[in-house]
Amino acid sequence: MSAVWRILHKDLVLELRTREAVSGLIVLVLLILLTFTFAMDPEGAGNAAPAVQWVTFVFAGLMAIQRAFLVERENGAWYGLLLCPIDRGAIFVAKMASNVIVLGLAQLVLLALLALFLGASVLAAPLAVLFVNFLGLIGFAALATLFAAISVRLRAREMMLPLLVLPLLVPLVICAVEASRIVMSGGTVASAGSWLRVLATFDVIFSVAGWMLFEQLVQE
Amino acid sequence: MAERVSGLAGGLVVHAESLGKAFGRSVVLRDLTLSVTAGEALAVFGPNGAGKSTTLRLLAGLMAPTTGELCVFGDPVAHPDVRRRIGLVAHQSFLYPDLTARENLLFYARMYGFADAEARVDAWLERVALADVAGRAVRLFSRGMEQRLSLARALLHEPDLVLLDEPWSGLDADAADWLGTMLLELRGRGRTIVVATHDFERGLAVATRVLIVHRGRVAWDAPVQADTAATLGSVYREITGAVAA
């Protein structure tokens, strides 16, 4: 657990110092959202808000996730981490946690902008909205962190990561959009229960798989 | 520390049997067999692409061999307890450019679980003559300063097996001499050293045994003797067809 904290602390210090991931992520979120806002009919914009939210989140998030491993590429620091006498699964957990923090901040900004630009009812059931977003965030971070670790060694990594991850994210995006639609219309967590159960299962499968498979996947 | 070193004396540190490593269709190592005993200082020479760096990365546990068997300190190298006993200085420094020298060493010291991380880091910063710039970001360091800090990172946990890949590359004469002295000091303290280099003179100065690797195999393996410096060039030329550095 201390190895997870050490790596997470180092990543957060680096992010606070450079602010590369958060600032890039928020600018990208803003640009995608503005494009949707101008492209959509204002009448139906509120209904489309959950879909717009998750599409924006997934595409902006993939960029931020890549950044988490690119900081390890410079000077080969990645190999320094792999040499440390720790369970390499701890690296996955730390990277996933730092991605959850960075993406979570972006998600809060995104929700505020959705309310502002598209009139989304994010305050209709705020705790339920946050819960759905949290479940979606964990699943996305687990899957994307795992594949970012694999693709970071590839030459065409910027192209490979979306190609590898997007098809696997389809169930998560469908469930997150449907659950968000229900809770943004004032529905309860229970009424979105079936979608949330699939989301939670997705989270558990990819978090545990990432932790268990990481050692084998990072070995060259 | 003396107890730990004497406990290793004469013991087998590296046992590699018919190691092979391929990247896709490109075969880098083929049938490399090697044993290194505790306290030996091995200089590995060979032309570019001979497999020197790949051998070191395998020994460090950064790669898994495609074929063959590799044990370090009697265990598979992937084991965390084995990695704890290995230090690697590679082409890249493994340092974070946006952290300071001190923050980099502290991070690694804590990853190795040292309770006295701060004192240990300060001692190493003094030792590699970087205490004055400990608060400066590594991004602002010269190649020589970064190499010294990289050495401190690799030796911070006092590894029993020290692996160095082209450690003299990019260093000026003073820094290179300093590195040679440091390696001799490590050898004197019973550490096992494997250094891959093109620099015959500096490699021989620290080595007790010489290896020439060619086309992914050990082509020559001999202890360093009085006449080694005189004969190595012609042996190297004969094996590789290349002129020694």
Side-chain angles (χ1 to χ4, degrees):
Chain A
M1 204 56 206
S2 73
V4 172
W5 166 242
R6 299 289 174 217
I7 300 168
L8 176 61
H9 178 260
K10 180 264 299 170
D11 282 354
L12 294 179
V13 167
L14 282 173
E15 181 52 35
L16 282 172
R17 206 160 280 176
T18 62
R19 294 196 175 88
E20 285 177 3
V22 170
S23 55
L25 187 56
I26 290 175
V27 168
L28 197 54
V29 160
L30 192 62
L31 286 174
I32 297 175
L33 210 52
L34 276 174
T35 308
F36 274 119
T37 305
F38 283 106
M40 282 191 309
D41 177 8
E43 295 294 315
N47 292 334
V52 170
Q53 180 202 345
W54 286 100
V55 168
T56 305
F57 176 73
V58 164
F59 281 100
L62 282 176
M63 185 212 73
I65 295 262
Q66 277 187 333
R67 160 80 194 151
F69 284 95
L70 288 179
V71 296
E72 303 292 348
R73 269 184 69 86
E74 211 175 345
N75 284 354
W78 176 241
Y79 296 111
L81 265 188
L82 294 182
L83 282 170
C84 292
I86 54 167
D87 170 10
R88 285 172 175 166
I91 303 174
F92 170 79
V93 177
K95 288 289 173 191
M96 185 182 149
S98 84
N99 286 330
V100 165
I101 292 170
V102 170
L103 293 171
L105 283 173
Q107 218 172 20
L108 290 176
V109 173
L110 178 56
L111 284 172
L113 292 175
L114 275 176
L116 189 69
F117 292 164
L118 301 181
S121 314
V122 295
L123 295 176
L127 288 179
V129 169
L130 286 177
F131 184 63
V132 170
N133 276 272
F134 179 72
L135 286 184
L137 170 63
I138 296 291
F140 175 80
L143 184 67
T145 302
L146 184 60
F147 279 89
I150 300 168
S151 67
V152 74
R153 290 199 312 261
L154 305 175
R155 262 180 297 178
R157 57 186 166 272
E158 287 83 2
M159 196 178 70
M160 287 308 290
L161 182 64
L163 283 178
L164 291 169
V165 172
L166 287 175
L168 292 169
L169 279 174
V170 169
L172 177 133
V173 172
I174 291 172
C175 293
V177 168
E178 287 302 324
S180 294
R181 190 178 52 75
I182 292 168
V183 295
M184 280 185 190
S185 334
T188 60
V189 168
S191 57
S194 55
W195 299 110
L196 294 179
R197 274 193 290 278
V198 181
L199 268 184
T201 308
F202 190 99
D203 292 359
V204 171
I205 289 172
F206 283 103
S207 300
V208 174
W211 173 61
M212 290 177 71
L213 296 175
F214 199 72
E215 169 99 39
Q216 275 69 41
L217 292 175
V218 296
Q219 187 84 268
E220 286 182 23
Chain B
M1 189 50 55
E3 201 175 281
R4 182 172 64 157
V5 173
S6 67
L8 281 169
L12 202 56
V13 173
V14 174
H15 175 71
E17 189 75 45
S18 304
L19 279 191
K21 182 67 186 177
F23 299 95
R25 289 182 179 175
S26 168
V27 180
V28 180
L29 284 186
R30 17 180 140 229
D31 200 26
L32 185 135
T33 296
L34 173 68
S35 292
V36 184
T37 51
E40 274 192 307
L42 204 64
V44 183
F45 300 114
N48 291 332
K52 303 187 298 294
S53 298
T54 303
T55 304
L56 289 191
R57 291 167 96 83
L58 284 169
L59 296 184
L62 292 177
M63 289 175 178
T66 313
T67 56
E69 188 189 334
L70 173 63
C71 283
V72 177
F73 298 112
D75 281 313
V77 72
H79 198 283
D81 288 342
V82 174
R83 293 207 297 270
R84 182 179 294 281
R85 301 175 70 179
I86 299 172
L88 171 67
V89 177
H91 292 283
Q92 293 171 296
S93 65
F94 301 170
L95 299 165
Y96 294 94
D98 290 310
L99 294 183
T100 66
R102 193 163 194 279
E103 286 170 336
N104 266 290
L105 293 191
L106 266 178
F107 170 67
Y108 281 108
R110 287 172 176 153
M111 289 296 282
Y112 279 84
F114 291 115
D116 62 341
E118 303 220 350
R120 186 177 284 260
V121 164
D122 289 340
W124 269 103
L125 284 168
E126 287 285 346
R127 198 159 172 200
V128 297
L130 291 173
D132 292 347
V133 289
R136 193 186 292 178
V138 167
R139 189 177 291 286
L140 304 173
F141 276 20
S142 68
R143 164 77 182 145
M145 290 160 82
E146 194 169 332
Q147 184 74 333
R148 275 185 281 155
L149 190 62
S150 172
L151 200 69
R153 173 201 52 77
L155 301 179
L156 194 65
H157 56 292
E158 302 190 16
D160 294 316
L161 172 61
V162 182
L163 308 168
L164 303 105
D165 193 3
E166 296 294 351
W168 288 284
S169 126
L171 295 184
D172 61 28
D174 285 346
D177 288 346
W178 172 88
L179 177 60
T181 309
M182 176 75 91
L183 293 180
L184 284 174
E185 189 191 317
L186 285 172
R187 198 181 93 179
R189 288 162 60 195
R191 298 290 191 269
T192 307
I193 299 170
V194 180
V195 55
T197 180
H198 287 111
D199 190 329
F200 274 27
E201 192 184 335
R202 293 195 186 279
L204 281 179
V206 298
T208 57
R209 183 177 153 199
V210 173
L211 225 65
I212 297 176
V213 176
H214 185 50
R215 293 183 179 155
R217 290 190 179 91
V218 175
W220 197 66
D221 184 351
V224 173
Q225 292 171 331
D227 63 343
T228 303
T231 57
L232 187 61
S234 57
V235 172
Y236 185 85
R237 203 161 38 247
E238 199 176 302
I239 290 170
T240 67
V243 180

